[in-house]
Short mmCIF file of all heavy atoms in Angstrom, two decimals:
data_model
loop_
_atom_site.label_atom_id
_atom_site.label_comp_id
_atom_site.label_asym_id
_atom_site.label_seq_id
_atom_site.Cartn_x
_atom_site.Cartn_y
_atom_site.Cartn_z
N MET A 135 114.97 40.43 -11.59
CA MET A 135 115.67 41.06 -12.70
C MET A 135 115.22 42.54 -12.79
O MET A 135 116.09 43.45 -13.19
CB MET A 135 115.49 40.39 -13.95
CG MET A 135 116.18 39.01 -13.93
SD MET A 135 115.75 38.01 -15.45
CE MET A 135 116.45 38.99 -16.76
N MET A 138 117.06 44.88 -10.45
CA MET A 138 118.47 45.08 -10.61
C MET A 138 118.59 46.27 -11.63
O MET A 138 118.69 46.07 -12.84
CB MET A 138 119.18 43.89 -11.31
CG MET A 138 119.12 42.65 -10.30
SD MET A 138 119.93 41.24 -11.23
CE MET A 138 119.60 39.99 -9.97
N GLN A 139 118.53 47.57 -11.20
CA GLN A 139 118.64 48.80 -11.94
C GLN A 139 119.87 49.51 -11.61
O GLN A 139 120.25 49.53 -10.47
CB GLN A 139 117.44 49.65 -11.70
CG GLN A 139 116.05 49.06 -12.15
CD GLN A 139 116.03 48.88 -13.71
OE1 GLN A 139 116.68 49.60 -14.47
NE2 GLN A 139 115.14 47.95 -13.98
N PRO A 140 120.64 49.95 -12.66
CA PRO A 140 121.93 50.72 -12.42
C PRO A 140 121.59 52.12 -11.88
O PRO A 140 120.42 52.62 -11.97
CB PRO A 140 122.46 50.98 -13.74
CG PRO A 140 121.36 50.89 -14.74
CD PRO A 140 120.28 49.88 -14.06
N GLY A 153 130.11 54.45 -15.04
CA GLY A 153 128.61 54.03 -15.02
C GLY A 153 128.40 53.00 -16.09
O GLY A 153 127.52 52.11 -15.84
N SER A 154 128.94 53.15 -17.13
CA SER A 154 128.74 52.03 -18.34
C SER A 154 129.20 50.80 -17.79
O SER A 154 128.56 49.66 -18.08
CB SER A 154 129.47 52.51 -19.53
OG SER A 154 128.96 53.86 -19.97
N THR A 155 130.32 50.66 -17.15
CA THR A 155 130.95 49.38 -16.64
C THR A 155 129.96 48.82 -15.72
O THR A 155 129.71 47.54 -15.68
CB THR A 155 132.32 49.59 -16.03
OG1 THR A 155 133.10 50.30 -16.92
CG2 THR A 155 132.92 48.29 -15.49
N GLN A 156 129.43 49.66 -14.80
CA GLN A 156 128.42 49.12 -13.79
C GLN A 156 127.22 48.49 -14.40
O GLN A 156 126.71 47.49 -14.03
CB GLN A 156 128.10 50.15 -12.67
CG GLN A 156 127.26 49.61 -11.49
CD GLN A 156 127.21 50.79 -10.51
OE1 GLN A 156 127.33 51.94 -10.80
NE2 GLN A 156 126.63 50.38 -9.37
N ALA A 157 126.71 49.21 -15.42
CA ALA A 157 125.47 48.73 -16.11
C ALA A 157 125.73 47.37 -16.80
O ALA A 157 124.82 46.44 -16.84
CB ALA A 157 125.04 49.81 -17.16
N SER A 158 126.94 47.23 -17.37
CA SER A 158 127.25 45.96 -18.03
C SER A 158 127.22 44.84 -17.03
O SER A 158 126.85 43.63 -17.33
CB SER A 158 128.51 46.09 -18.82
OG SER A 158 129.57 46.33 -17.93
N GLN A 159 127.71 45.12 -15.86
CA GLN A 159 127.79 44.09 -14.84
C GLN A 159 126.42 43.62 -14.39
O GLN A 159 126.03 42.47 -14.19
CB GLN A 159 128.63 44.53 -13.58
CG GLN A 159 130.03 44.69 -13.78
CD GLN A 159 130.76 45.36 -12.68
OE1 GLN A 159 130.13 45.58 -11.63
NE2 GLN A 159 132.17 45.47 -12.78
N ILE A 160 125.59 44.58 -14.19
CA ILE A 160 124.06 44.23 -13.86
C ILE A 160 123.44 43.45 -14.96
O ILE A 160 122.68 42.45 -14.79
CB ILE A 160 123.43 45.53 -13.62
CG1 ILE A 160 123.84 46.29 -12.38
CG2 ILE A 160 121.83 45.26 -13.56
CD1 ILE A 160 123.24 47.66 -12.07
N ASN A 161 123.68 43.75 -16.27
CA ASN A 161 123.16 42.94 -17.32
C ASN A 161 123.69 41.50 -17.22
O ASN A 161 122.99 40.40 -17.51
CB ASN A 161 123.62 43.52 -18.69
CG ASN A 161 122.81 44.83 -18.92
OD1 ASN A 161 121.71 45.01 -18.36
ND2 ASN A 161 123.36 45.65 -19.74
N VAL A 162 124.92 41.41 -16.95
CA VAL A 162 125.60 40.00 -16.81
C VAL A 162 124.88 39.30 -15.71
O VAL A 162 124.57 38.07 -15.76
CB VAL A 162 127.15 40.15 -16.43
CG1 VAL A 162 127.65 38.71 -16.12
CG2 VAL A 162 127.81 40.58 -17.84
N GLN A 163 124.63 39.94 -14.54
CA GLN A 163 123.94 39.34 -13.48
C GLN A 163 122.53 38.87 -13.84
O GLN A 163 122.08 37.76 -13.42
CB GLN A 163 123.80 40.31 -12.25
CG GLN A 163 125.09 40.46 -11.63
CD GLN A 163 125.03 41.52 -10.46
OE1 GLN A 163 123.99 42.03 -10.15
NE2 GLN A 163 126.17 41.95 -9.87
N LYS A 164 121.82 39.76 -14.58
CA LYS A 164 120.45 39.33 -15.11
C LYS A 164 120.49 38.06 -15.90
O LYS A 164 119.66 37.11 -15.83
CB LYS A 164 119.84 40.46 -15.86
CG LYS A 164 119.51 41.70 -14.95
CD LYS A 164 118.82 42.68 -15.81
CE LYS A 164 118.35 43.84 -14.86
NZ LYS A 164 117.69 44.96 -15.67
N LYS A 165 121.50 37.99 -16.86
CA LYS A 165 121.63 36.82 -17.75
C LYS A 165 121.90 35.64 -16.95
O LYS A 165 121.38 34.51 -17.24
CB LYS A 165 122.64 37.15 -18.85
CG LYS A 165 122.16 38.27 -19.71
CD LYS A 165 123.43 38.47 -20.80
CE LYS A 165 123.00 39.69 -21.75
NZ LYS A 165 124.02 39.97 -22.69
N THR A 166 122.83 35.80 -15.97
CA THR A 166 123.29 34.66 -15.05
C THR A 166 122.08 34.13 -14.35
O THR A 166 121.90 32.93 -14.19
CB THR A 166 124.42 35.09 -14.17
OG1 THR A 166 125.46 35.63 -14.92
CG2 THR A 166 124.76 33.89 -13.24
N ARG A 167 121.28 35.07 -13.84
CA ARG A 167 120.06 34.61 -13.00
C ARG A 167 119.17 33.92 -13.96
O ARG A 167 118.53 32.86 -13.55
CB ARG A 167 119.37 35.92 -12.41
CG ARG A 167 118.19 35.54 -11.54
CD ARG A 167 118.69 34.93 -10.26
NE ARG A 167 117.46 34.54 -9.51
CZ ARG A 167 116.88 33.42 -9.54
NH1 ARG A 167 117.19 32.46 -10.45
NH2 ARG A 167 115.84 33.06 -8.77
N MET A 168 118.92 34.43 -15.14
CA MET A 168 118.04 33.76 -16.06
C MET A 168 118.54 32.40 -16.45
O MET A 168 117.77 31.46 -16.60
CB MET A 168 117.76 34.60 -17.34
CG MET A 168 116.73 33.97 -18.32
SD MET A 168 115.25 33.61 -17.64
CE MET A 168 114.55 35.23 -17.52
#
Side-chain angles (χ1 to χ4, degrees):
M135 294 171 62
M138 297 179 184
Q139 298 294 336
S154 300
T155 304
Q156 188 176 11
S158 61
Q159 292 178 355
I160 291 174
N161 292 334
V162 170
Q163 292 177 1
K164 289 182 179 182
K165 292 178 182 179
T166 304
R167 182 72 183 88
M168 178 60 71

